[in-house]
Amino acid sequence: MNDPSEINAFYKDAFQELGNIGAGNAATALSQMVGRTIGTSVPKVMIIPIEKVPEVVDANEQIVAGIYLKVYGDIPAKILVTFEHADLLALTDLLMGQPMGGGTSLLNEMRISALKELGTILTGSFLNALAKFLDLQMIPTVPALAIDTMPSILNTLLVELSQDARFALLIQTEIFETETRLTGNIFLIPEADALDTMIKAIQKAAGVIDAG
Amino acid sequence: MPDKIKVGMADWKIARNQDSLVTFGLGSCVALTLWDAKEKIAAMAHIMLPDSKLVRYRQEVNAAKFADTALITMLAELNKLGVSKDRFQAKVVGGANMFTFVGKAIGGNMNIGQRNVLAVKEELLRYTIPLVSEDTCGTSGRSVEFYADSGVLRIRTAMFGERDI
């Protein structure tokens, strides 16, 4: 996107609703997987100059586990799931059905694989709900994991986008386990090419007739 | 009180004497620093992409964003301040490939970190500025602070702590 004024309030609301639909489905999937109640926050829709994204999203250089997938199909996008570093052991305990905080202090291969699996399930269910709602095809790649600072991870994702656009659209939704407040974030970052398709699909889904 | 001058993505700044330059969240981006030991002048650019000719939209005056336009712009501005390029020494940090698995799966663009490093080094050669040290590529993100009085570049990573080059 090169001109943020292209996105009016109607589409901002619609993007927020996409976050809701995706994260709701992801929360349901995770809830079934671990047998706990999973909540979601109201999604944040951000349209920011690419250079400003890391400081707007997290200026504190928090260390996170980032699970990153690319999405191909009708809406090329990047999807990123992040968890705070401090939560990773408890989170993997939960995934592996072990007592939380009782086990090892090491993030071994088994736990890393569990995290990637979690990323796959969350992003897969997120994208599935979106694809169904918009009646479009969205095909994710395999997940890649990095444990690093949030700004570095965002920096890496945005560099590619910065070749094609000056502004980034980010839809950020928090999902959390209600009992222990383990929290993750799902970011959907559409590529520059994807916006037109998204807007047309939203119009169609919302029954808006495009008179233009 | 020494100032810490922040250098954002696609930006570049100058610092003098007791002041330092900081930039954080270098993933595949590259920090290029120049230092004049005699005048205690430091400059740092946070470069995002190797080649300004590959972008698809009309570029504004954001020369520090690209390896092929950052150095020449810095040198021209510093020259106006009376600093000769012949006294500069350079350091290069960053250019990580943080999501290696994706890189292998989809190829090409994700190795932009390495391409950034190569492009910056090429520019240094072109302007015959000596590269005195570097900490590049790998898989870790970096944050850096560059001190104008000593020319020390302090690198911080999430997993391996701090080191100076």
Side-chain angles (χ1 to χ4, degrees):
Chain A
M1 185 192 340
N2 286 317
D3 180 6
S5 63
E6 286 165 18
I7 307 295
N8 64 26
F10 171 77
Y11 292 111
K12 268 198 172 172
D13 287 351
F15 292 144
Q16 193 174 50
E17 189 51 26
L18 292 184
N20 256 331
I21 291 167
N25 204 40
T28 307
L30 182 58
S31 175
Q32 283 170 2
M33 188 175 156
V34 298
R36 300 221 185 190
T37 313
I38 308 290
T40 63
S41 72
V42 177
K44 267 195 251 176
V45 177
M46 295 171 277
I47 297 167
I48 319 172
I50 288 177
E51 290 82 12
K52 301 275 174 225
V53 171
E55 58 195 275
V56 171
V57 176
D58 173 29
N60 299 322
E61 294 198 74
Q62 176 186 201
I63 299 174
V64 299
I67 300 144
Y68 164 47
L69 297 92
K70 284 190 109 177
V71 181
Y72 294 100
D74 295 323
I75 303 179
K78 300 177 201 304
I79 187 161
L80 172 73
V81 180
T82 61
F83 300 103
E84 277 180 41
H85 189 240
D87 287 350
L88 292 182
L89 288 173
L91 188 70
T92 47
D93 280 338
L94 188 67
L95 292 170
M96 289 155 60
Q98 292 176 357
M100 274 158 81
T104 167
S105 61
L106 282 174
L107 205 58
N108 58 21
E109 212 162 302
M110 178 83 147
R111 283 168 189 269
I112 286 175
S113 156
L115 277 176
K116 282 192 187 173
E117 184 64 21
L118 174 63
T120 309
I121 288 162
L122 290 176
T123 52
S125 46
F126 187 100
L127 292 173
N128 246 330
L130 249 55
K132 237 184 234 172
F133 178 71
L134 296 172
D135 193 22
L136 292 173
Q137 214 179 20
M138 302 179 90
I139 308 150
T141 61
V142 288
L145 173 79
I147 297 178
D148 216 303
T149 66
M150 190 71 192
S152 295
I153 287 175
L154 286 171
N155 174 295
T156 298
L157 263 60
L158 293 166
V159 156
E160 222 181 322
L161 184 63
S162 76
Q163 273 181 330
D164 303 330
R166 288 172 43 225
F167 288 82
L169 166 69
L170 289 94
I171 305 170
Q172 176 186 9
T173 319
E174 206 177 80
I175 70 167
F176 51 89
E177 194 270 324
T178 49
E179 218 173 293
T180 48
R181 297 302 291 193
L182 291 174
T183 302
N185 276 287
I186 302 179
F187 294 84
L188 182 71
I189 310 172
E191 301 291 355
D193 292 343
L195 282 173
D196 270 353
T197 320
M198 272 174 87
I199 284 177
K200 286 204 180 95
I202 289 167
Q203 286 171 341
K204 209 174 132 202
V208 176
I209 293 151
D210 188 358
Chain B
M1 252 317 256
D3 261 344
K4 279 180 201 273
I5 300 164
K6 213 177 124 194
V7 184
M9 282 167 94
D11 196 5
W12 80 278
K13 292 272 167 63
I14 298 170
R16 291 167 190 267
N17 304 319
Q18 299 304 307
D19 294 345
S20 63
L21 296 158
V22 293
T23 197
F24 65 91
L26 286 169
S28 53
C29 289
V30 167
L32 164 65
T33 66
L34 299 174
W35 187 55
D36 178 337
K38 186 166 160 267
E39 302 290 336
K40 310 285 185 214
I41 290 179
M44 186 199 286
H46 184 141
I47 295 164
M48 293 176 76
L49 290 165
D51 191 345
S52 63
K53 293 180 286 298
L54 294 180
V55 295
R56 280 169 35 187
Y57 55 90
R58 282 253 318 266
Q59 196 48 46
E60 288 156 22
V61 281
N62 218 354
K65 184 168 177 173
F66 305 100
D68 64 331
T69 50
L71 182 60
I72 185 172
T73 307
M74 293 164 84
L75 292 176
E77 287 294 317
L78 288 159
N79 191 41
K80 280 186 207 162
L81 299 173
V83 193
S84 158
K85 87 169 177 61
D86 301 328
R87 282 205 304 266
F88 279 126
Q89 45 170 271
K91 295 181 181 182
V92 176
V93 171
N97 192 10
M98 294 174 62
F99 292 98
T100 38
F101 190 35
V102 173
K104 274 179 199 152
I106 61 173
N109 237 349
M110 276 314 285
N111 216 354
I112 212 145
Q114 199 178 3
R115 284 168 50 206
N116 276 335
V117 172
L118 288 174
V120 169
K121 287 184 182 175
E122 220 168 86
E123 289 302 304
L124 288 171
L125 267 182
R126 194 192 308 275
Y127 293 95
T128 59
I129 294 171
L131 174 64
V132 292
S133 55
E134 65 174 299
D135 180 19
T136 53
C137 301
T139 56
S140 291
R142 300 165 172 95
S143 288
V144 295
E145 182 163 7
F146 188 48
Y147 301 92
D149 56 353
S150 63
V152 166
L153 185 57
R154 180 156 297 165
I155 303 159
R156 200 168 68 243
T157 58
M159 291 299 143
F160 307 110
E162 281 184 357
R163 85 185 186 100
D164 292 347
I165 65 166

